[in-house]
Amino acid sequence: MIHISKEEARNYLIRYHNLDGSKELCGEEGAMEYFKRAGSIQYDPLNVVGRNPDLVLQSRIKDYSPKILESLLYEKRYLLDGWDKMMSIYSRENWPFFSRVRKEKEEQIKELLKRRHSVEAFQLIDEIKNMLKEQGPLQANRIPASTTNPGSWGHRKLSSAALDFMFHTGEVGIYKKINTQKVYDLIEKLLPNNILCFGDPFQSNHEFYKWYIKRRIGSIGLLWNKNGGGWLGDFIQKKDLRSEILKELIEEGEILEVQVEGIKDIFYIRSKDMEFMNSKFESKEARFLAPLDNMLWDREMTKAIFDFDYSWEVYVPVNKRKYGYYVLPVLYKNRLVARFEPEMHRNNDPLSIKNWWWEEGVETTGDLRSAIENAFDNFCKYLHCESVQVNNLNII
């Protein structure tokens, strides 16, 4: 059992996610190194000051530009869109390892389409395959099909439902995106043969569970065994199953137990990540984090370790929001000291800050304000804008 303080836990997480810049990760190579460490980044289509994967990477990768991720996804194809915790992005080498997740999604979507009386979508699969072979990559709106009316959360067209099914089962992949619109192609045109032909590497579900639970710990860096956002996804939401697998991984030396002072629950880290526990913490920088940042996946854990109560309020009715629609946490040294709501940013317009909230008890020293100013400079470079408008807020 490793015993650490809350401050040491914060230091470890920040080093692990390179939020202190202790290792200079740059460009495509730096982004791939982070994906290798964390496994995946959650995708969300909302774009206020960039989409969630871009916001995650800009806080960790020096001189990051969204073109880096676009190139890795849709030009070099070292990364791909797939299902992990939720819709995510991960390395193409992980494709074979997620075969059981794709099989589970297949059964789920079959049941969903039955409930929505949209099983006719399955009859379009062969037709869509032939169209993709003959015509190349296609958007759903290029495929003629009768409409359906499953309700507010369903596809209005059977062709869209069919393509969504084919994507989640691995028959098609995303060739590119036009804003949020997906352009699909056959998966065999997007991934190398050695990856497609690799097959499921696991001999049993038990082997898969061990890999998946260990991977999820690595996606966050430090994780307890409480149900919550950190364990979202198929298979690993069952606490009894996790407890059994965690015990086995401890016995095999793959993971280690961590007791954080003042928190009764036990945490887990991968054994290979101990290097981040022992290195010296010296950061004096500020960073703006993504709403779905890997380090914040488990909101209750964030509150316990960082004393920062954060929720993403985009789907909360306006009159019930505590803060705002799209609010980003602010990291300084090893504390989450503030949060702010940016206006939607487009083109080269100045970055406009709608609201800013300091955390209670934060002393706004000159060093802190200087670090925030530098963080805004870096954020503006990421957005390709020349200035920031703080609208008379008490920030810098």
Side-chain angles (χ1 to χ4, degrees), residues 74-102:
Y74 307 126
E75 295 174 13
K76 297 181 178 178
R77 303 199 182 279
Y78 295 156
L79 300 173
L80 57 85
D81 300 275
W83 191 269
D84 186 357
K85 172 179 176 278
M86 302 289 281
M87 273 305 303
S88 301
I89 297 169
Y90 54 76
S91 170
R92 69 184 183 185
E93 278 72 25
N94 291 158
W95 169 262
F97 293 80
F98 277 94
S99 59
R100 292 172 194 250
V101 173
R102 290 191 292 274

Side-chain angles (χ1 to χ4, degrees), residues 40-47 51-54 56 69 73-74 80-83 85-89 174 177 179-182 292 294 297 312:
S40 68
I41 294 175
Q42 188 171 340
Y43 175 80
D44 188 87
L46 288 178
N47 185 350
R51 297 190 175 91
N52 188 72
D54 292 314
V56 171
L69 183 59
L73 275 167
Y74 307 126
L80 57 85
D81 300 275
W83 191 269
K85 172 179 176 278
M86 302 289 281
M87 273 305 303
S88 301
I89 297 169
I174 298 177
K177 288 179 181 174
N179 295 319
T180 59
Q181 297 299 309
K182 303 179 185 72
L292 302 173
N294 291 51
W297 278 2
W312 199 35

Side-chain angles (χ1 to χ4, degrees), residues 197-210:
C197 298
F198 192 85
D200 185 349
F202 305 108
Q203 298 298 312
S204 66
N205 279 337
H206 190 78
E207 283 187 19
F208 166 72
Y209 298 150
K210 287 172 68 176

